[in-house]
Amino acid sequence: MTRPRPFRVLDAYSCIGGGTEGYRRAFGPDCHITGVDIEAQPDYRGDDFHQGDAITFILAHGHEFDFIHGSPPCQGEGAPTKGTNAARNKAIGRTYPRLIAPTRAALDATGRPYVMENVAGSEVRKDIRLCGEQFGLGVLMHRYFELGAWTAAQPAHPKHRGYVRGWRHGEYREGPYVAAYGEGGGKATVDEIRTAKGIDWSTDHLRLREALPPAYTEWIGTAFLATAALDGRAAA
């Protein structure tokens, strides 16, 4: 008897695979997850990894997958970069890639269901907003998800329990959440980020800061399966 092939997932701009781990939990151990990132990721969590340009890889191979996740770099997308810090960045010649639109075009060209994630202020369509408080995590880390070729209902967003720990506007505040970005000023240590995000396979401070909490993509994957089950696209 021929064994059904695994459900194939592509994690584009994968970093260390925070998103990959969440999809593993949602789709089960028999799924096969491939990561692609412009930088080497020795701590990548999935089954296969390709170092290279994510858009090029999606255009060449995206049609081979059953579900695609994309997290284009967010450094040029947030409100501070496009607003308060724009003049300073221009003065020092600092630029950031704006990859949401070309990533969307590549994803649409595959004909496969996908999700594209980014920060507030970005150009991703705000179909779903997820927050660490929804999952009892030690980070808030609001992220928005654009759903391609499928839909899901927005989950409830619970009230935050307090502040993010650290200095803000000259005042130091304690709180139940840590700032998993930057260094100093009360921001989270490596161990604190690992605990707060639920990531236990890396100790790389920068990549831990960049990684999605697996709980986010576990929710996305579970929501996709619920939708897929209704139209016959559920994973085997």
Side-chain angles (χ1 to χ4, degrees):
M1 181 178 178
T2 302
R3 183 181 181 183
R5 67 167 178 79
F7 188 73
R8 296 170 297 194
V9 179
L10 174 61
D11 186 357
Y13 310 96
S14 63
C15 191
I16 59 174
T20 290
E21 173 63 18
Y23 289 122
R24 176 80 67 204
R25 297 174 189 175
F27 295 140
D30 291 333
C31 72
H32 187 279
I33 308 180
T34 298
V36 58
D37 200 283
I38 196 68
E39 297 183 355
Q41 301 290 343
D43 292 341
Y44 178 62
R45 189 65 162 174
D47 300 296
D48 285 327
F49 177 80
H50 295 268
Q51 183 177 357
D53 180 74
I55 293 173
T56 300
F57 190 90
I58 292 169
L59 288 171
H61 301 286
H63 64 282
E64 301 169 7
F65 295 87
D66 299 298
F67 184 85
I68 306 174
H69 174 101
S71 290
C74 64
Q75 289 87 347
E77 299 296 336
T81 300
K82 293 189 286 187
T84 56
N85 294 338
R88 181 176 64 183
N89 289 335
K90 182 178 181 180
I92 63 176
R94 178 185 292 159
T95 60
Y96 296 102
R98 302 293 299 280
L99 298 178
I100 289 176
T103 299
R104 180 187 293 116
L107 291 168
D108 283 336
T110 69
R112 300 301 189 186
Y114 68 81
V115 60
M116 184 164 53
E117 170 270 329
N118 221 272
V119 298
S122 73
E123 297 174 0
V124 297
R125 194 172 60 244
K126 309 303 191 289
D127 295 330
I128 297 292
R129 178 176 71 164
L130 296 181
C131 164
E133 180 59 27
Q134 291 166 305
F135 308 104
L137 300 179
V139 289
L140 290 179
M141 198 175 175
H142 293 99
R143 291 295 182 270
Y144 292 84
F145 297 80
E146 175 177 326
L147 311 183
W150 66 289
T151 60
Q154 169 66 42
H157 185 190
K159 182 179 179 180
H160 298 165
R161 290 172 287 128
Y163 296 111
V164 176
R165 188 195 73 200
W167 288 94
R168 187 171 178 82
H169 304 304
E171 180 182 358
Y172 186 87
R173 290 172 168 171
E174 293 290 351
Y177 313 106
V178 297
Y181 53 86
E183 295 182 86
K187 295 182 176 64
T189 64
V190 164
D191 286 342
E192 287 174 329
I193 298 174
R194 283 162 53 94
T195 299
K197 288 189 174 184
I199 295 175
D200 62 3
W201 63 90
S202 177
T203 57
D204 187 309
H205 191 229
L206 176 59
R207 284 166 172 73
L208 282 167
R209 284 153 42 189
E210 294 177 341
L212 273 179
Y216 287 24
T217 48
E218 182 178 7
W219 187 95
I220 292 290
T222 300
F224 172 73
L225 287 180
T227 299
L230 296 177
D231 63 14
R233 292 187 305 191

